[in-house]
Amino acid sequence: MSIPDRVIAIIAEQAMLEPGDVTLESTLEDLGVDSLGLVESIFAIEEAFDISVPFNANEPSAGDFDISTVGAIAQGVQRLVAEQS
């Protein structure tokens, strides 16, 4: 499974949706993911990919990790995975 597909699956699970209901263009707000769901999604992504996401739950929009769309999150994860190897 590709990184974007895994990110979609994780976010879909947190949003209690089917992966087919989540696109790379979806925003977390569109999917009904609240701040707690965002934090849980980030933790699940970190665990699934064995990475540390530079994310501050108190200031989600601050920092270099773009959470504007599912696709942006997937790109960030891809970058972190590549940096780790």
Side-chain angles (χ1 to χ4, degrees):
M1 183 182 289
S2 71
I3 289 175
D5 288 342
R6 287 176 68 189
V7 169
I8 285 172
I10 290 167
I11 292 173
E13 183 178 338
Q14 294 299 323
M16 292 184 276
L17 298 169
E18 292 297 319
D21 295 334
V22 178
T23 69
L24 293 175
E25 293 78 30
S26 299
T27 66
L28 298 178
E29 187 177 313
D30 291 341
L31 301 173
V33 176
D34 61 10
S35 58
L36 179 59
L38 171 59
V39 170
E40 290 175 352
S41 295
I42 296 295
F43 285 149
I45 287 168
E46 288 180 326
E47 188 174 309
F49 294 99
D50 194 27
I51 57 174
S52 179
V53 174
F55 172 77
N56 182 341
N58 294 322
E59 293 184 66
S61 58
D64 293 337
F65 196 79
D66 185 359
I67 58 166
S68 60
T69 64
V70 173
I73 294 169
Q75 286 179 342
V77 170
Q78 284 180 307
R79 189 186 72 228
L80 292 170
V81 168
E83 287 173 3
Q84 185 181 31
S85 10

